[in-house]
Amino acid sequence: MEIQKLYDLDDIEFEDVTIGLVRLAKNVPDHEFFYHVNQRNDLNFKRIDDLIYHGSYYDYFFPRFEAYHKFTRTCFTFISNRSSESKQKKIQTELFSGEENIKFLLNNQVEVQYILHSSEQFPDFSVILLPENLVFPIQDYILGSEEELYQIIQYYE
């Protein structure tokens, strides 16, 4: 008996996702940064379940903070670019496995502290007022559907 395909992955068009890259001007802990963000906005960012990345040797945990904008009904999520915790699953036996106990979601953007994601297709990050003395301007970054971070964000949506 032949199984019928419900859809063909080649026929599905994946749209790119725009995220915001947030760089801090000075090193502050998460709780202090979000205290200042919450003071300046109608938004109330709260810590939610960590994003978990399963590597070959480690499981990495990335803190996430989420808030809903009342008027636009948009969900904004800050994801830490750097893992806050890692749990070793097995001992590395290869010399150059490429996996360490710290991981960045965007390996080519290690100076970025947070990745800002919105539930909107065309996000407007300007509705979030960030403390000027703590943060550089948000940089838009386009993720293609072939990138690993795109797949992770889609999974956690």
Side-chain angles (χ1 to χ4, degrees):
M1 182 183 254
E2 189 174 314
I3 298 174
Q4 182 182 13
K5 279 189 186 179
L6 294 176
Y7 55 87
D8 187 8
L9 288 177
D10 295 333
D11 293 340
I12 298 174
E13 287 188 31
F14 293 101
E15 294 183 12
D16 294 342
V17 171
T18 302
I19 58 174
L21 304 181
V22 179
R23 292 174 176 83
L24 298 182
K26 52 185 169 179
N27 195 12
V28 294
D30 291 339
H31 67 275
E32 184 178 334
F33 173 70
F34 286 102
Y35 171 79
H36 290 293
V37 171
N38 288 339
Q39 291 295 313
R40 297 191 55 150
N41 293 279
D42 292 337
L43 300 166
N44 188 17
F45 282 94
K46 295 181 181 174
R47 177 98 185 243
I48 58 172
D49 292 338
D50 288 354
L51 182 148
I52 301 171
Y53 179 90
H54 301 285
S56 299
Y57 299 101
Y58 292 93
D59 285 336
Y60 302 97
F61 298 84
F62 298 88
R64 293 189 307 156
F65 302 85
E66 186 175 83
Y68 291 94
H69 194 269
K70 295 175 188 174
F71 302 113
T72 62
R73 296 182 183 175
T74 304
C75 176
F76 291 102
T77 307
F78 278 91
I79 305 168
S80 179
N81 186 35
R82 182 182 175 169
S83 62
S84 63
E85 180 183 355
S86 61
K87 292 186 180 175
Q88 190 169 11
K89 297 191 290 189
K90 59 182 179 179
I91 296 177
Q92 290 182 338
T93 55
E94 298 175 23
L95 187 56
F96 299 105
S97 67
E99 197 170 321
E100 299 178 19
N101 63 341
I102 294 174
K103 176 155 180 64
F104 291 91
L105 290 174
L106 289 171
N107 290 323
N108 58 342
Q109 302 281 345
V110 295
E111 73 282 356
V112 170
Q113 279 75 26
Y114 299 103
I115 297 164
L116 180 55
H117 176 258
S118 169
S119 61
E120 293 290 316
Q121 184 174 1
F122 302 107
D124 180 15
F125 299 127
S126 65
V127 297
I128 302 174
L129 300 174
L130 297 174
E132 292 138 10
N133 58 342
L134 287 179
V135 180
F136 293 110
I138 296 174
Q139 175 189 351
D140 286 349
Y141 185 86
I142 302 213
L143 283 177
S145 59
E146 69 283 347
E147 295 184 57
E148 186 176 35
L149 182 55
Y150 176 93
Q151 305 297 328
I152 293 170
I153 287 173
Q154 294 302 318
Y155 175 78
Y156 277 93
E157 249 186 11

